[in-house]
Amino acid sequence: QVHLVESGGGLVQAGGSVRLSCAAAGTIFRINAMGWYRQAPGKQRELVAIITSGGSTDYADSVKGRFTISRDNAKNTYLQMNGLKNEDTAVYYCNADIIKTDLSRQDYWGQGTQVTVSI
């Protein structure tokens, strides 16, 4: 059994900052890439940021220079969001490409955490 647990969302004023955390737990052999996605009401889920096991990162153009993704070990990832805008309001989901101890590989998602940016 594998699961991702997110935390850190909430209500923040425009221009403020929020840090999201994601912890993976369970029968994990290795985690490849980890990422953050978001879904705003009436819109499709979109990639926000991704980080590989080697530490390489990539960002959506809309968040470059404002958001930073990081990993502090093999199983935790964070999204530091600065300079928040109203259009960043969404449910944020953690995603991980995981190889389990039985060597099966699967994509996992967290339950999502709401970030609301007020003007």
Side-chain angles (χ1 to χ4, degrees), residues 24 30 34 43 45 47 49 62 64 71 73-74 114:
R30 185 175 73 233
M34 299 185 82
K43 295 187 177 181
R45 190 173 297 190
L47 175 66
S62 60
K64 282 180 181 177
R71 285 172 80 161
N73 59 35
Q114 177 72 46

Side-chain angles (χ1 to χ4, degrees), residues 34-97:
M34 299 185 82
W36 290 93
Y37 290 71
R38 67 186 180 187
Q39 187 166 18
K43 295 187 177 181
Q44 289 189 332
R45 190 173 297 190
E46 63 175 358
L47 175 66
V48 176
I50 192 167
I51 184 166
T52 68
S53 57
S56 298
T57 59
D58 198 12
Y59 298 89
D61 288 342
S62 60
V63 306
K64 282 180 181 177
R66 300 188 298 122
F67 291 10
T68 303
I69 189 171
S70 61
R71 285 172 80 161
D72 65 356
N73 59 35
K75 297 183 180 179
N76 296 334
T77 186
Y78 307 92
L79 185 67
Q80 178 67 42
M81 304 189 292
N82 299 328
L84 283 161
K85 305 175 181 180
N86 180 254
E87 51 263 42
D88 295 319
T89 295
V91 178
Y92 284 72
Y93 297 91
C94 178
N95 172 269
D97 176 10

Side-chain angles (χ1 to χ4, degrees), residues 21-40:
S21 300
C22 175
T27 54
I28 297 170
F29 174 70
R30 185 175 73 233
I31 301 178
N32 296 320
M34 299 185 82
W36 290 93
Y37 290 71
R38 67 186 180 187
Q39 187 166 18

